[in-house]
Amino acid sequence: MAYNPDIHHRRTIRLQKYDYSSHGAYFITICAQGRQCQFGEIEDGALRLNDAGVMVAECWNKLPERFPNVTMDEYVVMPNHFHGIILLNDFARPPAVDVGGVCPHVNTPNGTAANSLSRVIQAFKSLTSVEYVRGVRDQNWLPFSGRLWQRNYYERVIRDYVELSGIGEYIKFNLVNWAMDDEPRKSSYPRKARNTRTKS
């Protein structure tokens, strides 16, 4: 039977000797539930965020107020997904281990570690969901079914400044990638990151 994330339980695999609450840089992709276009549209080749999309950007930029160890780098809010780079603590040093590209997130047995990557994403998804519900109630935003974001997110550990620069360029030109994709709703994250899914 083929793997189905909606009916099979997932267990993340701890990357040995890697601490997701220490220094590091991470490329994050979060998709809207069902990849519905909740945050705006692409019109005449231009990205036009709606009020919900603007709210998502504002929540992202405010995360360092909640997490002093976090610095935000390039990001983009797309109609049905979000890309961003998070720097934790000091990225002047390389990651603690050779992660070999894409890798899974640490699964902590007693809950999400404070100030870790997963905790930051949890906060972001929670804050935006609360604000979106308020927008539906007070400003007639497009309702969503069940949850605003997909349960998982996609992550890639950034190993050096060359990769950081390359991913930054990918994010800047994500609108071009969307336009070139035959099925943007199904292909809203980079091919290399598709096999890394983290619960949050």
Side-chain angles (χ1 to χ4, degrees), residues 18 20 24-31 60 71-78 81-88 91 95 99 101-105 117 121 153-160 163-174 177 187-194 196-198:
Y18 195 86
Y20 280 79
Y26 306 91
F27 174 38
I28 302 299
T29 297
I30 313 173
C31 296
W60 177 258
T71 301
M72 298 312 185
D73 200 85
E74 293 288 346
Y75 74 91
V76 63
V77 183
M78 296 294 287
H81 67 282
F82 176 89
H83 288 309
I85 296 175
I86 295 179
L87 310 178
L88 291 185
F91 189 59
V99 299
V102 178
C103 68
H105 178 68
L117 175 66
I121 300 303
Y153 64 91
Y154 299 81
E155 66 183 36
R156 180 181 178 90
V157 176
I158 298 174
R159 293 169 289 182
D160 52 43
E163 190 170 16
L164 179 65
S165 176
I167 292 174
E169 288 298 303
Y170 174 86
I171 292 174
K172 287 179 182 179
F173 294 101
N174 198 236
N177 298 329
S187 304
S188 53
Y189 43 88
R191 302 294 194 273
K192 291 183 179 179
R194 285 189 174 182
T196 302
R197 307 189 64 169
T198 303

Side-chain angles (χ1 to χ4, degrees), residues 121-141:
I121 300 303
Q122 284 177 355
F124 174 66
K125 292 169 76 172
S126 176
L127 290 168
T128 51
S129 295
V130 168
E131 289 299 318
Y132 197 104
V133 169
R134 185 175 291 118
V136 171
R137 183 191 65 202
D138 298 339
Q139 302 179 48
N140 296 316
W141 290 3

Side-chain angles (χ1 to χ4, degrees), residues 9-83:
H9 295 290
R10 286 183 295 271
R11 292 184 61 189
T12 56
I13 302 172
R14 184 185 300 273
L15 186 67
Q16 293 184 359
K17 298 181 180 180
Y18 195 86
D19 181 1
Y20 280 79
S21 62
S22 65
H23 67 279
Y26 306 91
F27 174 38
I28 302 299
T29 297
I30 313 173
C31 296
Q33 180 70 12
R35 303 216 174 92
Q36 296 298 309
C37 292
Q38 306 281 150
F39 310 122
E41 60 184 359
I42 306 297
E43 184 176 305
D44 297 327
L47 172 62
R48 303 188 187 282
L49 294 180
N50 56 24
D51 289 343
V54 172
M55 174 275 294
V56 168
E58 290 175 346
C59 285
W60 177 258
N61 286 314
K62 289 180 180 179
L63 285 174
E65 298 175 10
R66 182 178 292 253
F67 300 96
N69 65 317
V70 165
T71 301
M72 298 312 185
D73 200 85
E74 293 288 346
Y75 74 91
V76 63
V77 183
M78 296 294 287
N80 65 4
H81 67 282
F82 176 89
H83 288 309

Side-chain angles (χ1 to χ4, degrees), residues 171-186:
I171 292 174
K172 287 179 182 179
F173 294 101
N174 198 236
L175 179 59
V176 176
N177 298 329
W178 174 287
M180 293 175 61
D181 202 322
D182 292 333
E183 295 184 272
R185 292 191 181 192
K186 295 182 179 179

Side-chain angles (χ1 to χ4, degrees), residues 86-119:
I86 295 179
L87 310 178
L88 291 185
N89 300 302
D90 179 16
F91 189 59
R93 299 174 291 162
V97 296
D98 181 6
V99 299
V102 178
C103 68
H105 178 68
V106 169
N107 181 28
T108 53
N110 298 316
T112 306
N115 296 319
S116 66
L117 175 66
S118 187
R119 183 69 192 92

